[in-house]
Amino acid sequence: MGPQAAAVVNAPSLVAIGHVTWDVLPGTPLNLPMKRGGGAREPGGAVAFASATASSFGVSAAVVTSCADDYPIADIVEAPDRCIRIPSDDTSTFENRYDARGDRVQVLHRRGGDISVGDIPEAWRSPDMLFVGPLTQELPVDCLSWFRPRVSCVVPQGWLRSWTEPLPSLVEVSKSPPAGMNAGWDICVVSESEVEDRTLPRWRVLARNLVVTKGSEGAELHLDDSDAPVVIPSFSDQVAGAGADTTGAGDVFAAAMLIRYAETGKAEESARYASLCAGLSTRAPSWSAVEVP
């Protein structure tokens, strides 16, 4: 069965591609109905947070994803013709556990289908902004070559994950860029758990602006013309209620930085603004607290 979408008309300003997810708390029965606001399970995924962030900015966004037909797609796109859903029996489902330090450990319970170049309408291949957020290796690592964006951003977390079959499985995370990953990204956002000193130089050559997020400690911005990173502060201590749910904060950071950078061309200013957006997004589950400051 092929992609499902209404007729594609006008090209969106921002195209986000990757899996949407269900994020569940430990011990949640997966055979119960999953819906937003249920507390134990929330819709998520990098592209969902990116679309919600774009909406807050007043930016027209479109999503290309793969999930089961019961996923609340209408919550993350403005109109049916702004989403292409590759049908799948399952929606990628992650159980998120956090240790005392706040680091995330994940269990993958279910996985959506793969996304291929043939799923992308030609009208969407030259967006003003491209956001790529793989979660379960559903996209090839050279997918930047599918597009001709003015500005691009990748959150490569899904290319670093591995697991065993059959599911469920504990997710292992690599700290090295995957072999064959495109260089030439304008922005690449990784968490501190996905990089280490010995692999940092390999990450830096892939993007003009590399961001390493550090949770409540902010982030480091590595510019291609500077050896020393720029420290990006966290604004969580200035946001009432921040930290209630940190799932998706890095995705909000990436999307907000992409949008701001596309507007200004100023990486440090864009990263600082994105850090504030990320802090605001942690006040409530899913993307319900995403807003433009």
Side-chain angles (χ1 to χ4, degrees):
M1 187 181 300
Q4 295 180 347
V8 176
V9 283
N10 298 318
S13 296
L14 185 151
V15 170
I17 178 171
H19 276 174
V20 292
T21 69
W22 288 113
D23 295 320
V24 302
L25 294 179
T28 300
L30 299 184
N31 59 345
L32 295 179
M34 294 187 182
K35 60 182 180 179
R36 186 174 179 183
R41 58 189 112 241
E42 297 289 347
V47 298
F49 282 100
S51 182
T53 303
S55 179
S56 295
F57 275 85
V59 171
S60 170
V63 168
V64 182
T65 192
S66 177
C67 61
D69 58 11
D70 63 346
Y71 193 85
I73 288 291
D75 287 358
I76 63 171
V77 292
E78 298 174 353
D81 65 350
R82 294 301 186 192
C83 180
I84 290 175
R85 181 181 74 85
I86 293 89
S88 174
D89 291 336
D90 293 314
T91 298
S92 289
T93 301
F94 287 94
E95 177 185 329
N96 298 307
R97 305 170 181 172
Y98 293 90
D99 61 22
R101 187 171 173 269
D103 292 332
R104 183 173 65 179
V105 178
Q106 291 187 309
V107 176
L108 178 63
H109 286 270
R110 296 171 179 166
R111 182 182 181 274
D114 290 338
I115 301 171
S116 67
V117 62
D119 299 321
I120 316 298
E122 183 59 39
W124 291 10
R125 296 189 190 184
S126 300
D128 189 51
M129 292 169 278
L130 173 66
F131 181 98
V132 173
L135 295 183
T136 66
Q137 305 212 31
E138 68 274 22
L139 293 163
V141 297
D142 62 351
C143 64
L144 179 59
S145 63
W146 299 354
F147 298 91
R148 301 171 296 277
R150 183 175 70 87
V151 184
S152 61
C153 175
V154 62
V155 184
Q157 56 189 320
W159 291 331
L160 308 179
R161 291 173 173 152
S162 61
W163 56 90
T164 58
E165 298 285 352
L167 298 177
S169 169
L170 189 68
V171 175
E172 300 291 337
V173 180
S174 170
K175 297 180 184 292
S176 300
M181 179 177 167
N182 290 119
W185 295 93
D186 292 293
I187 300 168
C188 176
V189 179
V190 294
S191 76
E192 61 180 338
S193 65
E194 297 165 340
V195 65
E196 56 191 6
D197 289 345
R198 68 179 181 85
T199 61
L200 181 61
R202 293 167 58 191
W203 280 110
R204 291 195 60 180
V205 299
L206 297 175
R208 182 172 292 109
N209 304 291
L210 174 69
V211 177
V212 180
T213 60
K214 297 189 171 187
S216 60
E217 297 180 8
E220 288 183 350
L221 170 63
H222 297 265
L223 305 171
D224 64 354
D225 59 354
S226 175
D227 291 332
V230 177
V231 176
I232 304 300
S234 168
F235 295 94
S236 296
D237 59 347
Q238 301 176 34
V239 176
D245 190 332
T246 59
T247 302
D251 305 322
V252 171
F253 184 110
M257 182 173 176
L258 170 64
I259 295 168
R260 191 75 164 189
Y261 184 74
E263 178 185 355
T264 67
K266 299 177 180 179
E268 182 176 351
E269 174 190 318
S270 299
R272 291 177 64 89
Y273 189 79
S275 183
L276 178 55
C277 291
L280 289 169
S281 76
T282 67
R283 295 172 297 167
S286 193
W287 54 80
S288 56
V290 173
E291 67 174 77
V292 175

